[in-house]
Amino acid sequence: MKRSDRLVSLTNYFLENPKEHTSLPYFSDKYGAAKSSVSEDLAIVDRVMQEEGIGHLQTLPGASGGVSFIPGYSMENGNRFIAELCTTMEDPARILPGGYLYMSDILGDPRMVNKIGRVLASAFSNLEIDVIMTVATKGIPLAYAVASVLNVPVVIVRRDPRVTEGSSVSINYVSGSSRKIQTMVLPKRSLHDNANVCIIDDFMKAGGTINGMISLLNEFNANVQAIGVLAEADDEEDERVVENYTSLVKITNVDMKQKTIEVHPGNVADRS
Amino acid sequence: MKRSDRLVSLTNYFLENPKEHTSLPYFSDKYGAAKSSVSEDLAIVDRVMQEEGIGHLQTLPGASGGVSFIPGYSMENGNRFIAELCTTMEDPARILPGGYLYMSDILGDPRMVNKIGRVLASAFSNLEIDVIMTVATKGIPLAYAVASVLNVPVVIVRRDPRVTEGSSVSINYVSGSSRKIQTMVLPKRSLHDNANVCIIDDFMKAGGTINGMISLLNEFNANVQAIGVLAEADDEEDERVVENYTSLVKITNVDMKQKTIEVHPGNVADRS
């Protein structure tokens, strides 16, 4: 295979297999090319990926040497996307009774979801994460988008146990905004002991639901490594029960009467 | 930008923007390259993508001419993946009470989910599809995987209405296997009139749930263009209320006593 063909094939391979360690001989065999040629190919792919702000190739030397693609959305790409997101979300037609915001169109657009996932995954790319956890329903697409980039599995907490998941562990928790006692369930098979978990959800007000997930993780002896949300409601900061989270956007000053709303970049923009 | 760099950048662009029509001048400007050079680049990308069995570039000539990437998983790639899936699913440890099968590990693995999505999307790539519809919870990741490939939005039917989605339409339906009357809800804003819909779900026994979704779509004057499921339970064929569906695998002969199970390729393998 010629270099030009190899570059197309390699780019596709890395995007499909993020964070996967692959040896140089694998590529030499696949393409019938010398290791030195493959090394040159990899240098080109690495450089262009960095220039485009989508990630880089990590090379390990030695006998067990090889290469893996580390996805990373550049701050520039990330901030531009967050600014667009703020504008989209400030549309007054989104305001629903109770100060909630209609976001189903954003969460229903796979390309939006994939970009949100990339920004969150980039914020967590230096952490050791074994699994992404979310709660049904709205957080699910975001959880998969983050998990696709970090190449780890997703576990889904439910509010009702299902026969199709086997035995499960459940806890009760107090919902932050409604002060109601609710139940959360996670199948026993979902998590191994001492798993490093990243919690992802779409929206955080006081943080009761996320706090519930943390309690549930304690039952599994798991470690909460990171918490990422698409949007946080700034108004509830006094009552917030969760700390150390990463948000893409912050919703403030929802005025039901005037039908106005402000959306600002969340704390993910503060990270470097 | 040199050809080698452009090839990496173009491959990334097309994989990120499937089914999106882009004009040649856009690439000429972006790369500072002559249109003829870009055309040659595109020919290389197209050829390699076809050889790798991941899709092809569709070029439209003329003033409004341009190019779009049509993802398509080759039959060879698809059948190899389905064969692996059958082996994975035949593990007797998956058998749960009631003849259900534990599939949360498969549905929790983003790479598995993305491959399932690619096979289903390839089966539907010639149809006009405006939106993917699924029902909470397990179908959601599959729906997004298909939607990412076809570059269309996802709408999620719920069993309970939520305050965060505005006004909604609900129907009652009879669950095929349990014969219970259940409710399904879809927010009014989710679908426009005459939308062309593809229904995606993880598992189909008698098909009551999918039939419910079809009834709900009638309320929205929508057209059901395709139905795709990961797994169908073959034993329920006599009672099946849904026709014209596409399945990746078919589960047969679940023997609770002997702890055995057979999984065969579904009808997607019959298509060409």
Side-chain angles (χ1 to χ4, degrees), chain B:
Chain B
M1 216 188 232
K2 280 166 56 183
R3 160 146 302 150
S4 51
D5 294 18
R6 294 198 304 263
L7 289 171
V8 175
S9 176
L10 280 168
T11 305
N12 176 52
Y13 178 87
F14 287 121
L15 293 174
E16 268 195 20
N17 300 284
K19 292 207 137 193
E20 181 113 334
H21 188 82
T22 310
S23 71
L24 255 59
Y26 170 84
F27 294 121
S28 295
D29 283 1
K30 185 176 175 189
Y31 300 130
K35 260 169 96 174
S36 57
S37 305
V38 171
S39 291
E40 285 167 30
D41 297 345
L42 294 175
I44 296 170
V45 173
D46 180 36
R47 183 170 42 74
V48 178
M49 282 178 162
Q50 292 197 39
E51 282 166 9
E52 305 248 312
I54 56 169
H56 70 278
L57 297 185
Q58 195 174 59
T59 311
L60 286 176
S64 62
V67 62
S68 52
F69 169 56
I70 311 296
Y73 219 38
S74 67
M75 281 304 276
E76 197 192 328
N77 283 346
N79 290 343
R80 193 187 315 128
F81 172 66
I82 289 170
E84 281 170 31
L85 202 58
C86 290
T87 312
T88 309
M89 289 178 69
E90 278 182 336
D91 180 354
R94 296 185 174 278
I95 301 175
L96 292 172
Y100 283 94
L101 218 62
Y102 183 83
M103 304 201 294
S104 299
D105 58 331
I106 296 171
L107 293 173
D109 178 345
R111 266 206 289 175
M112 274 285 198
V113 167
N114 289 339
K115 281 184 188 169
I116 295 166
R118 253 182 243 165
V119 178
L120 285 174
S122 298
F124 305 144
S125 65
N126 293 324
L127 303 174
E128 188 146 327
I129 291 171
D130 303 323
V131 59
I132 306 289
M133 175 166 154
T134 191
V135 64
T137 311
K138 300 231 177 157
I140 297 176
L142 297 179
Y144 275 84
V146 176
S148 287
V149 180
L150 298 180
N151 196 15
V152 293
V154 177
V155 300
I156 300 172
V157 176
R158 305 182 60 117
R159 288 182 164 110
D160 55 319
R162 295 296 295 261
V163 291
T164 52
E165 292 181 324
S167 54
S168 54
V169 176
S170 77
I171 59 141
N172 296 313
Y173 72 101
V174 180
S175 154
S177 4
S178 65
R179 306 266 180 233
K180 271 192 291 192
I181 292 188
Q182 305 204 32
T183 307
M184 265 186 193
V185 185
L186 190 63
K188 266 195 180 168
R189 299 197 202 187
S190 319
L191 281 180
H192 62 80
D193 231 41
N194 276 312
N196 294 311
V197 180
C198 167
I199 295 175
I200 297 288
D201 209 357
D202 61 323
F203 193 64
M204 178 169 74
K205 289 187 89 171
T209 305
I210 287 176
N211 218 24
M213 284 194 260
I214 296 172
S215 307
L216 191 53
L217 286 173
N218 287 336
E219 298 292 320
F220 283 85
N221 292 318
N223 316 308
V224 181
Q225 293 287 68
I227 299 166
V229 297
L230 166 57
E232 60 170 311
D234 194 32
D235 302 348
E236 314 273 338
E237 253 176 11
D238 301 343
E239 306 174 35
R240 187 147 295 154
V241 290
V242 172
E243 286 174 2
N244 294 326
Y245 59 87
T246 300
S247 66
L248 246 64
V249 302
K250 202 181 263 196
I251 299 170
T252 59
N253 300 324
V254 181
D255 187 331
M256 300 287 297
K257 266 195 183 156
Q258 303 287 327
K259 290 269 172 201
T260 56
I261 175 177
E262 281 178 38
V263 184
H264 301 285
N267 64 16
V268 72
D270 307 338
R271 301 168 80 113
S272 61

Side-chain angles (χ1 to χ4, degrees), chain A residues 5 9 16-17 20 47 52 93 96 100 102 107-108 110-111 118 137-138 140 144 151-154 164 189, chain B residues 5 9 16-17 20 47 52 93 96 100 107-108 110-111 118 137-138 140 144 151-154 164 189:
Chain A
D5 293 19
S9 176
E16 267 194 20
N17 300 284
E20 178 113 336
R47 181 170 42 73
E52 305 248 311
L96 292 172
Y100 284 94
Y102 183 83
L107 293 174
R111 267 206 288 178
R118 252 182 243 166
T137 310
K138 301 233 177 158
I140 298 176
Y144 275 84
N151 198 14
V152 293
V154 177
T164 53
R189 300 197 201 184
Chain B
D5 294 18
S9 176
E16 268 195 20
N17 300 284
E20 181 113 334
R47 183 170 42 74
E52 305 248 312
L96 292 172
Y100 283 94
L107 293 173
R111 266 206 289 175
R118 253 182 243 165
T137 311
K138 300 231 177 157
I140 297 176
Y144 275 84
N151 196 15
V152 293
V154 177
T164 52
R189 299 197 202 187

Side-chain angles (χ1 to χ4, degrees), chain A residues 24-44:
Chain A
L24 257 57
Y26 170 84
F27 294 121
S28 296
D29 283 359
K30 184 175 175 188
Y31 301 130
K35 260 169 94 172
S36 57
S37 306
V38 172
S39 290
E40 287 167 30
D41 297 344
L42 294 175
I44 296 170

